[in-house]
Amino acid sequence: MSYKAVGGQAVIEGVMMQSDKKKAIAVRTPSGEIKVKTNPINSWVKNKHIDKIPFLRGMFILIETMIDGIKSLNYSSDVFIQETGEDEEDAIDKFIKKIFGDRANDILIIISMIIAIILSVGLFIMLPTFIGGIFIKITDNKIILNLIEGIIRILILFMYIYLISKNKDIERVYQYHGAEHKSIHCYESGKELTVENARKFKRLHPRCGTNFLFIVMATSIILFAFFGWPNPFLRIVMRIVCIPIVAGIAYEIIRLLGKYDNIITKIIAYPGMMLQYMTTKEPDDEQLEVAIESLKAVL
């Protein structure tokens, strides 16, 4: 079997894996069965050849990844709802399906993305810049103020990840996240894809989205330092406008971390790798089995 570049995502009681041509979602149903769904990859980023343009591709790939991630989470949720019979829809779902009919799922994904973006902007852009503005009473050094804002942003990220990890459902998602990494490590090492082999590997991976998050934070600190310290409204606008630039740079760095293994890449990857101790948990054998089934399906 020739080597393929693969990546994945933890979902509800399962794992989504994808290669360049195929995507698979494996979910452990309440009855204990592993249900696997496969689909060919239809990437508009690749179809338009945007993935060949360095720095520009990062933002578009991020958007596409968000859409695919929400679809994968929705599918894993539907598997549980169908098997448990808990198919009652809330008022919002019923209203959207009544108005948009067959396009209801697409509308729900768009709404989910909009809500996620608004919350992200509020939590990781507006809040840090307002808190950072308090420190202007202590120093007027623009570089130091931007550094303080960046540190506040990273601390908010740590706190957010830590708090949601206390939820039992999220903790299981983190376990499947660990299973995803272990199975990919097993495959990349050339060993047979078995639970016994996968169990031996670390649950951290340099191409993880957690690394991407931390590199986005670190890149934003460096980039924003060049924009001075204008009034709060202008600071927020500038940071929102710069999101595609930050995402583009961060994506190229992640690609390099996955491509090269040397002292420099290890130093750059180290903070994000340590953050993965919070976003991954040690999986049990059943969770590893699910991740392996998903990975086998795309290979």
Side-chain angles (χ1 to χ4, degrees), residues 222-234:
I222 297 170
L223 183 65
F224 295 159
F226 291 97
F227 292 94
W229 193 257
N231 65 71
F233 176 76
L234 191 56

Side-chain angles (χ1 to χ4, degrees), residues 36-56:
V36 182
K37 176 187 177 184
T38 60
N39 290 108
I41 295 292
N42 184 21
S43 169
W44 53 270
V45 174
K46 289 186 177 180
N47 292 340
K48 301 294 184 181
H49 304 293
I50 298 173
D51 62 316
K52 304 296 183 184
I53 308 173
F55 298 103
L56 177 64

